[in-house]
Amino acid sequence: MRALIRDDMTQRRKRGSNLWVTHEVDRTEGATAQAANIAAAKSLAETVRTTLGPNGMDKMIIGSNGTVIVTNDGASILDRMDVTDPTAKMLVETAQSQNNAVGDGSTTAVTLMGALLEAAEDLLEMGVHPTTIIEGYRKAGEVALDRLQAETIDVDPTDEAELRRIGATAVTGKWDNESARYLSELAVRGLSEIAGGDAVDVRNMTLQSVPGGSLRDSTLLDGLSIDVGSSSTSIEVFAPHLPDTYESATVALLDAELTIEKADAVANTTVSDPSQLRDLQSYEESVRIEAVQKLADLGVDVVFCQKSIDDEIRSRLARAGILAIERTRQDEINKLAHVTDAALERSVDALSPATVGQAPHIERRTVGSTELVIISTAISGAHVSFLLRGGTEHVAEETKRVLKDCIAVIQLALQGQAVVPGGGAIELSLAYHLNSYASQVGTREQLAIEAFADALETVPATLAASAGCDPVDTLIDLRARHHQGEMTVGVDVTNGTLADMRTKDVLEPLAVKQYAIRNALEGATMILRVDDVIAAEQTTNSHGHDHDHDHDHTGLQHTEGYPWAIGH
Ligand code: ADP
Ligand code: MG
């Protein structure tokens, strides 16, 4: 068994003390602790469960700063909820790890984890020991994962229509079906443009959310798109001098501020008479002229600078027809270096014909209210950029996130080249298999294996309920069909009947299900192992329990892992 100790206790240990401070703590032990932990995780899982599938309901999340986000995605919901209960946090972690690993299936993982805990609760009440449940679950997980492998359907990686349908299955429910198809088509098109066999290098892909327009205005660009609106650069001020496009463009990348270097000696100079001031000014001017001249001599058309560029220099560059972009992000600089074959230099002096890069075509374009610079590549398809649109910044961001998931899933299908039937078909099939396996076990673990099977059935049951069907009747019908050997029959959520998911093209990558089962099992097991909850006194240091959140740009909170979970 393990104890769960809240974070300020852990902090003390981190600081090198071997002494556990156990005074002034609330402590819950044994069955009470277990019951409380299960209840907390279960209730959160229940909230997320109802979003499962294309007909799943949306949740509205209201941030502490009043921002409202409506989403259907399990991972985003949990990520944005301000969860403080330590066990509920484990559930959040399960969703995050699922999302990070495969980009889809987080609602399924959370639903399964909740169902495993609920089933465990009944077994605990019947007097089954937690370790028996854990062992039974472990065996069931192994058998289910083995069986999963046996029920895969091969994918032809050259069949783009099939890939589009796999991508669409992953994102249906986030939007209407048409939009899901549109996004999936965009993903497949982008991937096929940069694909080198099945090894797609995602570094050759840029995803950019651009507020304004609707999802269907999202497009794919051949080349690298840099959002210059997000930097503090205002090109417009200098725009009259600058062309909109550059052909056979030369690109320079700089890692230093493009400004007058103020050596200490210069900064401390006391200017006592007008002639000295003139000297200083003319010195500064000559430095600026030199920098601009150097860039012009090298034939540079566009200079990207990681740091800031002095206004005076920018204006001089603009007059020389050179587009200067400051505060370019590190990841963008890396992509620029890759796409143009330029080297990042620390100063203008260090630039040379060998270290500047080339692009066949560079274009400034305004999309919505965002200013973009699009750099084409010498080899078509060497880099693609997705411009993802949405009415507001949040919607555009959400579109970007969903496309990311869609791409991840298609890539999985490309790499693993195997899928499993969705719509609860695979879960029912695994449950069916586990029940027959359980009957051969013959110990108390059998009960846990059957409970695992019941938990898997929550997926088709939830999908049925969301389609307005009676979940119990649906499960009975489904079991009958699977008993007749129709292992790919699942819930057709569009008309609330049963259908072969293969013919309906509801297919999901094998890896999504593998991870969902593994993550749910791990999360549930971890909670079941805890029989002791010790809440240490609240300390006033800034690392206290209330501070283990990061604020992201949305102003909402990200949850972190569970630094307070330790073994004993
Ligand atoms: P997750 O976060 O687990 O991916 P989703 O809300 O995306 O959750 O729902 C996924 C579930 O919905 C999977 O079981 C999948 O097979 C099912 N599903 C997706 N599209 C369909 C469909 N058209 N018909 C039936 N089930 C579907
Ligand atoms: Mg999904």
Side-chain angles (χ1 to χ4, degrees), residues 455-477:
L456 284 166
E457 287 188 343
T458 335
V459 173
T462 306
L463 291 171
S466 77
C469 307
D470 183 77
V472 178
D473 290 344
T474 308
L475 281 183
I476 292 169
D477 293 347

Side-chain angles (χ1 to χ4, degrees), residues 51-54 72 104-108 169-170 172 174 422-424 427 459 463 491 493 501 506 508 513:
T51 68
L52 187 74
N72 171 290
D104 191 32
S106 51
T107 312
T108 305
T169 300
T172 38
K174 313 291 185 251
E427 285 85 356
V459 173
L463 291 171
V491 181
V493 294
M501 291 295 119
V506 180
E508 296 184 89
K513 293 295 174 198

Side-chain angles (χ1 to χ4, degrees), residues 244-310:
D244 287 331
T245 55
Y246 295 88
E247 302 301 331
S248 305
T250 302
V251 177
L253 306 179
L254 281 176
D255 184 23
E257 274 184 42
L258 200 44
T259 181
I260 305 291
E261 275 193 41
K262 287 200 172 56
D264 284 350
V266 178
N268 294 335
T269 307
T270 323
V271 180
S272 51
D273 71 64
S275 77
Q276 273 182 323
L277 182 65
R278 265 198 303 282
D279 285 351
L280 191 60
Q281 281 171 340
S282 70
Y283 160 75
E284 290 191 352
E285 190 148 309
S286 70
V287 172
R288 289 190 177 105
I289 292 170
E290 235 172 74
V292 174
Q293 193 56 49
K294 171 88 196 248
L295 289 167
D297 288 347
L298 283 167
V300 170
D301 296 299
V302 186
V303 53
F304 291 92
C305 184
Q306 255 192 313
K307 308 222 167 84
S308 62
I309 305 176
D310 173 308

Side-chain angles (χ1 to χ4, degrees), residues 78-363:
L78 288 170
D79 199 28
R80 282 159 175 164
M81 271 168 90
D82 185 13
V83 176
T84 50
D85 184 275
T87 28
K89 273 191 180 178
M90 288 191 186
L91 205 87
V92 176
E93 183 85 354
T94 298
Q96 281 170 345
S97 95
Q98 176 79 23
N99 215 37
N100 294 342
V102 283
D104 191 32
S106 51
T107 312
T108 305
V110 165
T111 301
L112 278 177
M113 182 172 157
L116 285 173
L117 287 171
E118 192 163 352
E121 201 174 32
D122 295 342
L123 293 175
L124 287 168
E125 267 172 29
M126 284 162 59
V128 182
H129 195 271
T131 47
T132 311
I133 303 176
I134 290 166
E135 189 48 27
Y137 277 4
R138 192 190 60 75
K139 282 190 181 147
E142 255 173 36
V143 172
L145 287 168
D146 268 356
R147 180 70 197 174
L148 194 59
Q149 205 83 38
E151 294 202 22
T152 54
I153 302 163
D154 283 344
V155 179
D156 173 6
T158 58
D159 185 350
E160 289 198 358
E162 181 85 330
L163 295 176
R164 278 199 294 274
R165 289 189 290 258
I166 293 167
T169 300
V171 298
T172 38
K174 313 291 185 251
W175 277 282
D176 58 292
N177 290 345
E178 272 300 301
S179 300
R181 273 197 286 272
Y182 183 83
L183 221 55
S184 181
E185 212 230 288
L186 210 63
V188 171
R189 209 148 37 90
L191 279 171
S192 69
E193 270 186 42
I194 58 162
D198 54 9
V200 175
D201 190 345
V202 286
R203 281 173 305 181
N204 297 335
M205 199 186 285
T206 297
L207 270 65
Q208 212 152 65
S209 62
V210 184
S214 75
L215 182 134
R216 302 286 184 85
D217 297 320
S218 301
T219 49
L220 183 66
L221 298 175
D222 188 9
L224 168 63
S225 155
I226 304 273
D227 179 354
V228 291
S230 65
S231 79
S232 64
T233 303
S234 169
I235 293 176
E236 281 319 302
V237 179
F238 307 107
H241 299 290
L242 292 169
D244 287 331
T245 55
Y246 295 88
E247 302 301 331
S248 305
T250 302
V251 177
L253 306 179
L254 281 176
D255 184 23
E257 274 184 42
L258 200 44
T259 181
I260 305 291
E261 275 193 41
K262 287 200 172 56
D264 284 350
V266 178
N268 294 335
T269 307
T270 323
V271 180
S272 51
D273 71 64
S275 77
Q276 273 182 323
L277 182 65
R278 265 198 303 282
D279 285 351
L280 191 60
Q281 281 171 340
S282 70
Y283 160 75
E284 290 191 352
E285 190 148 309
S286 70
V287 172
R288 289 190 177 105
I289 292 170
E290 235 172 74
V292 174
Q293 193 56 49
K294 171 88 196 248
L295 289 167
D297 288 347
L298 283 167
V300 170
D301 296 299
V302 186
V303 53
F304 291 92
C305 184
Q306 255 192 313
K307 308 222 167 84
S308 62
I309 305 176
D310 173 308
D311 262 1
E312 180 64 33
I313 294 184
R314 263 199 301 153
S315 130
R316 280 179 186 277
L317 285 170
R319 269 176 288 172
I322 300 171
L323 174 61
I325 295 166
E326 61 174 1
R327 295 187 222 280
T328 308
R329 288 199 321 260
Q330 181 70 50
D331 61 315
E332 292 180 326
I333 286 275
N334 293 345
K335 284 178 180 171
L336 281 163
H338 187 233
V339 160
T340 65
D341 204 21
L344 181 61
E345 286 294 359
R346 276 196 299 272
S347 70
V348 175
D349 280 346
L351 286 170
S352 73
T355 58
V356 294
Q358 302 296 328
H361 181 85
I362 295 184
E363 181 188 341

Side-chain angles (χ1 to χ4, degrees), residues 362-399:
I362 295 184
E363 181 188 341
R364 292 194 291 137
R365 195 188 292 180
T366 307
V367 179
S369 54
T370 306
E371 180 120 28
L372 302 174
V373 171
I374 298 150
I375 298 101
S376 73
T377 54
I379 305 157
S380 171
H383 196 104
V384 293
S385 298
F386 294 90
L387 294 191
L388 301 155
R389 311 297 308 279
T392 66
E393 199 184 319
H394 282 306
V395 177
E397 263 301 309
E398 186 81 352
T399 313

